[in-house]
């Protein structure tokens, strides 16, 4: 029937829009099966990690997580799988293929079947490495100023209300 064809076309159009956003978006997107293995990865996450999609598929987030962040990642995932939260966000580190650390905000959301059982998990990852580097540079600068001030190498001036040195 015409209504059925129209509905099917609407579904295909919706799928096409989703696929386009998935493939070309700036934010990394991973889709896992119920066991946490990646079954889809977009180009943004491949670029973020330095791996090809064929190297990512079948792996889990634990395979790319910086070792110091594994415990927190596992705890948060277990809370999600235990049904105690619908989704979560986590600031964490991944290890790029060449070995450098990539800071990300990872937003993790389950996709459930109608009966409430887990179908997939969607993981969105956004690179915040430049922000973390700027934050570290500011902290380093603050620390250098504090050390210099305590050593007496930073002069103090008194100024009047107009900002003139008195």
């Amino acid at each position: 029937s015409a209504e059925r064809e129209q509905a099917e076309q609407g579904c295909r159009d919706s799928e096409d829009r989703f696929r386009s956003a998935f493939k070309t978006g700036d934010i990394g997107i991973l889709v896992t099966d119920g066991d946490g293995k990646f079954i889809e990865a977009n180009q943004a996450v491949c670029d973020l990690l330095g791996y090809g999609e064929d190297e990512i598929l079948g792996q889990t987030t634990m395979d790319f997580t910086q070792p110091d962040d594994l415990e927190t990642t596992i705890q948060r995932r277990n809370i999600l799988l235990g049904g105690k939260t619908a989704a979560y966000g986590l600031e964490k580190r991944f290890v790029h293929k060449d070995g450098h650390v990539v800071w990300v905000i990872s937003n993790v959301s389950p996709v459930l079947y109608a009966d409430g059982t887990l179908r997939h998990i969607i993981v969105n990852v956004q690179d915040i490495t430049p922000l973390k580097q700027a934050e570290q540079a500011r902290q380093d600068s603050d620390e250098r100023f504090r050390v210099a001030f305590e050593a007496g190498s930073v002069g103090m001036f008194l100024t009047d209300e107009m900002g003139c040195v008195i």
Side-chain angles (χ1 to χ4, degrees):
S1 76
E3 286 180 8
R4 182 178 174 94
E5 285 181 31
Q6 187 176 8
E8 288 175 355
Q9 184 60 46
C11 285
R12 284 190 297 272
D13 291 347
S14 177
E15 175 71 12
D16 289 346
R17 284 190 300 274
F18 167 78
R19 284 279 149 220
S20 177
F22 178 84
K23 289 188 177 295
T24 63
D26 291 338
I27 293 179
I29 304 172
L30 295 156
V31 180
T32 77
D33 62 15
D35 295 326
K37 291 185 177 162
F38 299 134
I39 57 174
E40 290 187 73
N42 72 352
Q43 188 59 48
V45 81
C46 292
D47 294 344
L48 181 86
L49 295 173
Y51 291 92
E53 183 179 16
D54 59 324
E55 296 174 288
I56 291 175
L57 298 185
Q59 303 296 317
T60 71
T61 189
M62 306 312 166
D63 296 316
F64 302 101
T65 298
Q66 199 272 349
D68 291 342
D69 292 345
L70 278 172
E71 185 177 339
T72 302
T73 301
I74 291 168
Q75 288 173 351
R76 297 300 294 270
R77 185 176 191 281
N78 289 341
I79 290 169
L80 178 88
L81 294 177
K84 296 182 179 124
T85 184
Y88 68 88
L90 179 63
E91 193 173 282
K92 64 183 282 183
R93 293 164 288 183
F94 280 134
V95 179
H96 189 277
K97 187 175 184 175
D98 70 11
H100 76 269
V101 169
V102 180
W103 278 95
V104 299
I105 292 178
S106 177
N107 291 297
V108 181
S109 304
V111 177
L112 307 175
Y113 286 107
D115 68 1
T117 58
L118 183 66
R119 181 176 185 175
H120 301 297
I121 296 174
I122 307 290
V123 182
N124 294 306
V125 290
Q126 185 171 6
D127 186 358
I128 60 166
T129 304
L131 178 67
K132 286 297 203 176
Q133 290 170 337
E135 186 178 290
Q136 185 62 50
R138 184 192 53 77
Q139 289 173 354
D140 292 348
S141 176
D142 289 352
E143 179 62 14
R144 283 193 303 274
F145 179 80
R146 185 191 64 75
V147 169
F149 181 77
E150 288 175 0
S153 60
V154 175
M156 297 293 292
F157 300 97
L158 296 177
T159 60
D160 63 17
E161 61 276 354
M162 299 296 288
C164 296
V165 176
I166 55 175

